Every structure is written in structure tokens, then in C-alpha cells.
């Protein structure tokens, strides 16, 4: 029998997350109130002055509530006026607004959990010289402000949680949702060892690729990024070459798995090399599709047959023109986030949600049966 609620549930969707939060609210209402009119969403505002300064306003009391704040640190589609100019919100602006909302609550909520799909400053997760450790500072600052749980997705390096060893930190991977989206978008895809290989674009992505490899029973290959550490371009050492380590790829479909697509330059270079090595179709799984240099390179790669499909979640802002692309497939995570919130609000464990092996295997079995049935029908015809 399920435990009672930890406290009355409330959900805040920060700027740019309104649509995502509304879908989460829909599922919570369906499960708990059978579609009732009352919402779990809390109305908040972060108005700004002409100088760009801001404040947070809560329009109801949250005393004693179990509060979940959903925020997208990378939604540049949200803008504000500053000195008469329209300014896109940067990750720093979104993070400042998050702190303002927590401060406006003034410690009245019984528990605060922050759902931050892509970690603010998550790529600055380790120190290699005289430089700041921004992500660690962010985590410590939120905990010091009273945040109990921080829930993120596909962290660039989950070891950053060592910065807050006594606080809740959950790194969720959308493995099941990605595989489900693949078999739905490409019904003829074979998840068999003889037909498909998982590819890690670099050594940093090996952890998540090994998980896909183990639950799907597929072989794994990887690329080693050879960088020029003597120079820095756009804040990073440029990649000189990708060296492939793995089995023969001739005639096989390939899934490239990574946490994010930033400019996409590295992913497309890897895809091109895989094609040269005989790969049949190339699918890319990336939780966060940022496309910082635009979509032209992906359009060209799709037109040339280098990539077949790119799967991104709706956990961060998606450019509106993405939906016009045949190669793009959105992976909806709203229901999954609703499950996490509902489970935590009842003080239940989320272990099965974090490691959905059974659901993945059930999905694979169902997909194989559907393919066998389809082949039988075609043979009889």
C-alpha cells in the first residue's frame, strides 16, 4: 500500500518551462484527481526593472508544502527588456531567477526540490588549472538556500555530486524513452547484436554507452578525441582527429550516444567516419539538443545520408525550426518527470525509475514480436 503524501504538493515552472510544467501538471491531476480543475502549479513572476534588475513574486503561500521547481537554464528563447534593448536570457539570468524564487519562499516550504534537467555550468565540472568550479559552487549554494533534492538528467559528469555529499542528488538517464522513441520512429530497426552497434563519440560518454550496450546486449565502439592542447579556441582545445576503436561496422546500424549536441561539429565528424567505415544508418541519441551553430550542418548531413535521425528530449528549449526537420525526433519526458515528482511526494523510492531495465526488456520483446508478426504477414501476402 502506498504511503501518504510527504506534504501538500506544489509545482513551479520557471520562465520558459511553462508548457513542460503544464503537461506535468496534467498527468499529476489525472493520477490524483481524475482530471479535476484544481492545479498543482503555483503562479510566480520575476518582473524586471529597466536596468535589468529583477525580483521574484509568489502569488500564494507555500508554508508546509512539498515544492518542486522545474527550470531550464538554457532557454535563450525567453527575453527581457534592458535599457530599451531586447536581451535573451542567459544561463546566469535563469539561475539568478531560480535563486530569487527560492528566496521569495523565505524558508516556508517544508521541502524544496529543484528539477534542473541540464545542470547550470555542468560542463565546468572539474578544475584543470587556476579556474573556477562553477557547477560545484552552484550545488552548494542551492543546498545552503534550503534545497533538499536536486534532480538532473544525463549530467555531463555525475561526480560533481561530490560537492554536496550529504544532500540529495539524482542523475536520471532517459534510456528507456530514447529506445522507445527509436522503435516508434523507425519500426524496421533491429535491436540485434548482428545488426546494430552502440558508439561512444569520446571517452567521456563511455559510461552511458556501456549502459545502453548492457541492457540491449549490443557491442560497443568508441572514438578517441585527439586534441591540440597547445591552443584554445572558443574556450576549448580544438579537436584535431577522431580515432575509432571497435568492431567492423559494414552493413550495421549505429547509435551514437552523448549527453548533448552543442555545435554538433564533433557528432557529425564521427558520423562521417562511421559512414566511411561502412555503417548503414546512423542514429544519434542526445538528451539536450542545443545547436549553438544552427541547423545547416545537420541539414547537409541528412541530405547526404550521413545521419538518419537525431533524438533529443524536450527537457531544454528547442528551436522552433527544429520541428520542420525530417531528421529530428522529439523525446517527450513530461510523463517521466511527473512519475518522479509523484513518487518523491509520497516518499517512495525512485530506484526503478532510475534503472528501468525491466521496462526496456519488455519494450524490446514487444518490438521483436511486432517485427516477426509483420514479416509473417508480408510472407503470407
Amino acid at each position: 500500500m502506498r504511503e501518504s503524501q510527504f506534504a501538500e504538493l506544489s509545482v513551479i515552472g520557471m520562465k520558459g518551462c511553462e508548457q513542460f510544467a503544464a503537461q506535468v501538471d496534467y498527468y499529476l491531476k489525472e493520477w490524483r484527481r481524475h482530471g479535476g480543475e484544481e492545479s498543482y502549479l503555483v503562479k510566480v513572476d520575476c518582473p524586471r526593472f529597466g536596468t535589468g534588475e529583477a525580483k521574484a513574486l509568489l502569488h500564494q503561500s507555500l508554508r508546509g508544502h512539498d515544492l518542486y521547481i522545474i527550470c531550464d537554464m538554457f532557454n535563450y528563447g525567453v527575453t527581457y527588456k534592458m535599457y530599451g534593448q531586447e536581451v535573451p536570457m542567459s544561463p546566469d539570468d535563469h539561475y539568478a531567477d531560480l535563486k530569487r524564487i527560492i528566496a521569495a519562499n523565505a524558508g516556508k516550504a517544508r521541502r524544496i526540490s529543484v528539477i534542473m534537467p541540464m545542470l547550470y555550468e555542468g560542463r565546468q565540472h572539474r578544475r584543470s588549472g587556476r579556474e573556477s568550479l562553477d557547477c560545484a559552487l552552484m550545488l552548494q549554494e542551492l543546498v545552503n538556500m534550503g534545497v533538499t533534492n536536486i534532480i538532473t538528467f544525463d549530467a555531463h559528469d555525475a561526480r560533481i555530486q561530490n560537492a554536496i555529499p550529504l544532500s540529495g542528488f539524482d542523475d536520471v538517464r532517459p534510456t528507456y524513452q530514447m529506445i522507445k522513441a527509436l522503435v516508434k520512429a523507425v519500426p524496421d530497426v533491429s535491436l540485434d547484436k548482428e545488426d546494430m552497434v552502440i558508439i561512444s563519440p569520446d571517452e567521456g560518454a563511455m559510461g552511458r554507452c556501456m549502459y545502453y550496450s548492457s541492457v540491449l546486449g549490443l557491442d560497443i565502439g568508441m572514438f578517441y578525441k585527439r586534441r591540440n592542447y597547445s591552443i584554445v579556441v572558443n574556450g576549448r582545445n580544438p579537436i584535431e582527429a577522431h580515432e575509432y576503436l571497435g568492431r567492423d561496422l559494414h552493413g550495421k546500424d549505429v547509435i551514437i550516444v552523448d549527453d548533448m549536441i552543442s555545435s554538433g561539429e564533433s557528432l557529425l565528424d564521427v558520423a562521417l567516419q562511421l559512414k566511411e567505415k561502412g555503417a548503414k544508418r546512423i542514429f544519434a541519441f542526445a538528451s539536450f539538443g542545443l545547436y549553438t551553430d544552427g541547423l545547416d550542418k545537420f541539414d547537409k548531413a541528412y541530405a547526404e545520408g550521413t545521419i538518419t535521425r537525431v533524438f533529443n528530449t524536450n527537457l531544454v528549449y528547442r528551436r522552433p525550426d527544429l520541428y520542420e526537420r525530417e531528421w529530428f525526433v522529439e523525446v517527450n519526458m513530461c510523463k517521466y518527470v511527473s512519475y518522479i515528482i509523484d513518487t518523491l511526494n509520497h516518499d517512495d523510492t525512485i530506484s526503478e525509475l532510475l534503472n528501468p531495465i525491466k521496462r526496456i526488456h519488455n519494450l524490446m520483446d514487444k518490438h521483436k514480436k511486432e517485427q516477426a508478426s509483420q514479416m509473417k504477414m508480408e510472407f503470407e501476402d
Side-chain angles (χ1 to χ4, degrees), residues 263-321:
S263 67
E265 181 181 342
S266 177
L267 171 70
L268 294 177
D269 184 39
V270 165
L272 187 61
Q273 288 201 45
L274 291 172
K275 270 293 182 183
E276 291 172 354
K277 295 180 187 302
K280 188 167 81 173
R281 293 180 296 185
I282 296 177
F283 308 106
F285 287 178
S287 297
F288 313 113
L290 306 179
Y291 304 99
T292 56
D293 288 352
L295 305 177
D296 292 345
K297 289 183 289 188
F298 283 85
D299 292 338
K300 184 172 182 289
Y302 176 69
E304 294 173 350
T306 306
I307 57 170
T308 303
R309 292 284 186 279
V310 179
F311 296 80
N312 300 142
T313 71
N314 64 336
L315 291 167
V316 294
Y317 177 69
R318 282 91 54 221
R319 306 163 52 112
D321 51 351

Side-chain angles (χ1 to χ4, degrees), residues 194-205:
E194 299 304 315
D195 302 316
M196 180 169 282
V197 178
I198 300 292
I199 296 292
S200 174
D202 54 44
E203 58 274 24

Side-chain angles (χ1 to χ4, degrees), residues 128-299:
S128 55
R130 295 186 183 92
E131 57 187 22
S132 56
L133 274 171
D134 298 50
C135 192
L137 284 172
M138 177 272 295
L139 295 175
Q140 291 178 351
E141 190 171 19
L142 291 183
V143 167
N144 290 336
M145 292 183 74
V147 174
T148 304
N149 299 312
I150 296 169
I151 300 154
T152 190
F153 285 76
D154 222 345
H156 195 64
D157 189 340
R159 290 174 294 183
I160 195 65
Q161 66 188 288
N162 293 336
I164 49 168
L166 300 180
S167 300
F169 181 99
D170 290 299
D171 178 28
V172 187
R173 287 182 177 168
T175 312
Y176 170 73
Q177 287 77 13
M178 286 288 189
I179 298 169
K180 186 177 180 180
L182 172 64
V183 299
K184 184 178 179 180
V186 190
D188 66 333
V189 71
S190 172
L191 300 175
D192 190 89
K193 189 176 182 179
E194 299 304 315
D195 302 316
M196 180 169 282
V197 178
I198 300 292
I199 296 292
S200 174
D202 54 44
E203 58 274 24
M206 273 300 288
R208 57 182 65 87
C209 289
M210 287 168 66
Y211 185 81
Y212 275 96
S213 173
S214 61
V215 298
L216 294 175
L218 303 177
D219 284 331
I220 189 170
M222 73 164 286
F223 279 84
Y224 165 68
K225 284 182 182 177
R226 182 153 52 81
R227 293 181 179 272
N228 185 345
Y229 288 98
S230 64
I231 58 174
V232 176
V233 178
N234 293 329
R236 62 179 182 173
N237 305 107
I239 299 166
E240 291 192 333
H242 287 95
E243 309 287 350
Y244 175 66
L245 304 170
R247 65 176 291 186
D248 181 65
L249 299 173
H250 278 87
K252 292 179 172 57
D253 286 337
V254 165
I255 301 176
I256 305 172
V257 183
D258 211 349
D259 59 333
M260 73 173 77
I261 294 173
S262 184
S263 67
E265 181 181 342
S266 177
L267 171 70
L268 294 177
D269 184 39
V270 165
L272 187 61
Q273 288 201 45
L274 291 172
K275 270 293 182 183
E276 291 172 354
K277 295 180 187 302
K280 188 167 81 173
R281 293 180 296 185
I282 296 177
F283 308 106
F285 287 178
S287 297
F288 313 113
L290 306 179
Y291 304 99
T292 56
D293 288 352
L295 305 177
D296 292 345
K297 289 183 289 188
F298 283 85
D299 292 338

